Amino acid sequence: MSEDAYIDFAVLYDEWQALYPRPFAVALAPRIEAAVKKHGSRVPVLGDLACGTGTFAHWWAQRHRGWKVYGTDLSDAMIASARKPTSPVRKKVTPADRAPQFFVQDLAATSLPEKAGVLSCLFDSMNHLLAAPAMSRMLKRVRESLAPDGLFIFDLIEEERFAETFEGFSIIDGPDLYVGMQMGSEERRGVLYGDATFTFFRRQTEHWGRLEFNLRERCWREAELRSLIAKSGLSVVDIEAIDPSEDPDVYVPRTLWICRNGP
Ligand SMILES: C[S@@+](CC[C@H](N)C(=O)[O-])C[C@H]1O[C@@H](n2cnc3c(N)ncnc32)[C@H](O)[C@@H]1O
């Protein structure tokens, strides 16, 4: 994703997420919290990379007094939404002294004002990286942005279930928003890609507005990613399976990766 693909989606993103019982980032948040507790973090600074509209950054800031929280995303429009003090998915407004700071940044150019004890990257955002050089650049910046022993936590769509995840047509709707999702996948030179076309119909004063949004994601195989992670100087400390039959709000089978800065 080299340009702001989310420019139009940004205005609908939180409304779309509000069609589910919980926004995805909120469904995943307690697992991130549990991983940080289990593996430990000495520096109370969290950076959520590809933070979108800032849901997880705000969630963390509201619950972890004393932490400094940052969010970064490539999309100007998503960051503009994250900076708004209220949104449909953020019931509470973060007090000003704990409000996260947001920056427009590519994953490959992550640069925070201070080293982080925890970096996160949630909701398929790592699957948005389509090529190994882009992944390597991102991992290098992650390592350079983490404090010694800092944690990097991210989710990926489960590789064995990737093709079935990107298959078929589904609909979710509410009184003012209708979303159709058409999915497909293709293999090219041994790499599996998933394509999703979202069609939104949103109620406006006199009519329904229509918006289409196309997304391509890559299936990252554990072996290739482990090798890129090792080359970056990070180490994998745990990989957890996340099963949507246990928590339907995480939508599809995933893995949650916990990496550490250092051996
Ligand atoms: C599915 S959204 C997830 C947003 C957020 N993490 C959440 O949980 O709601 C994927 C996000 O990744 C961002 N993104 C995609 N490629 C990126 C890149 N190369 N650098 C930074 N952000 C990127 C998009 O702008 C979008 O906000």
Side-chain angles (χ1 to χ4, degrees):
M1 217 182 79
S2 55
E3 56 198 37
D4 190 349
Y6 278 73
I7 190 160
D8 295 321
F9 192 6
V11 292
L12 292 172
Y13 191 86
D14 287 344
E15 275 179 61
W16 165 61
Q17 285 284 279
L19 296 177
Y20 296 87
R22 288 177 301 171
F24 177 87
V26 173
L28 204 57
R31 289 173 188 264
I32 313 296
E33 200 169 40
V36 171
K37 201 168 170 197
K38 179 173 172 193
H39 298 286
S41 166
R42 283 182 282 159
V43 178
V45 176
L46 177 133
D48 188 33
L49 311 182
C51 67
T53 56
T55 305
F56 179 64
H58 283 281
W59 187 97
W60 192 275
Q62 283 163 5
R63 281 163 187 77
H64 296 272
R65 201 174 274 275
W67 280 65
K68 187 76 203 146
V69 180
Y70 300 100
T72 67
D73 198 282
L74 183 63
S75 166
D76 266 314
M78 295 294 261
I79 289 294
S81 176
R83 285 181 181 142
K84 283 188 195 147
T86 54
S87 87
V89 295
R90 291 198 294 276
K91 301 273 189 296
K92 288 188 273 180
V93 176
T94 316
D97 61 337
R98 275 188 278 149
Q101 269 178 271
F102 293 101
F103 306 104
V104 177
Q105 277 177 13
D106 193 313
L107 287 168
T110 298
S111 171
L112 299 178
E114 57 195 311
K115 300 252 183 193
V118 180
L119 291 177
S120 53
C121 189
L122 310 179
F123 200 0
D124 302 10
S125 297
M126 297 277 283
N127 291 102
H128 285 53
L129 295 177
L130 302 180
M135 181 62 84
S136 294
R137 282 196 296 275
M138 182 214 176
L139 293 168
K140 181 171 180 285
R141 288 307 306 148
V142 164
R143 192 187 61 73
E144 289 166 355
S145 305
L146 276 175
D149 289 336
L151 299 174
F152 175 44
I153 304 176
F154 62 92
D155 67 276
L156 281 180
I157 295 178
E158 160 60 50
E159 61 179 90
E160 298 306 331
R161 313 275 294 278
F162 190 91
E164 78 184 60
T165 296
F166 280 90
E167 192 178 88
F169 182 71
S170 62
I171 292 171
I172 183 160
D173 62 352
D176 299 320
L177 186 66
Y178 167 101
V179 188
M181 285 161 281
Q182 177 72 60
M183 315 283 252
S185 62
E186 65 163 341
E187 193 165 333
R188 268 204 204 172
R189 296 196 194 115
V191 177
L192 189 57
Y193 298 95
D195 290 298
T197 298
F198 292 73
T199 307
F200 297 89
F201 289 93
R202 186 194 201 197
R203 189 191 295 277
Q204 289 167 346
T205 331
E206 300 281 316
H207 65 288
W208 286 74
R210 182 180 190 279
L211 172 74
E212 206 150 277
F213 172 69
N214 296 304
L215 183 66
R216 169 158 273 216
E217 298 194 7
R218 171 181 172 149
C219 174
W220 285 98
R221 306 270 176 206
E222 182 176 331
E224 65 186 332
L225 196 54
R226 272 186 180 277
S227 145
L228 296 177
I229 288 173
K231 281 187 195 142
S232 75
L234 300 167
S235 53
V236 178
V237 292
D238 205 0
I239 303 178
E240 293 173 19
I242 304 180
D243 184 348
S245 68
E246 289 160 15
D247 189 347
D249 296 347
V250 297
Y251 313 156
V252 299
R254 288 167 192 281
T255 47
L256 186 70
W257 291 56
I258 295 114
C259 302
R260 193 182 286 290
N261 181 12

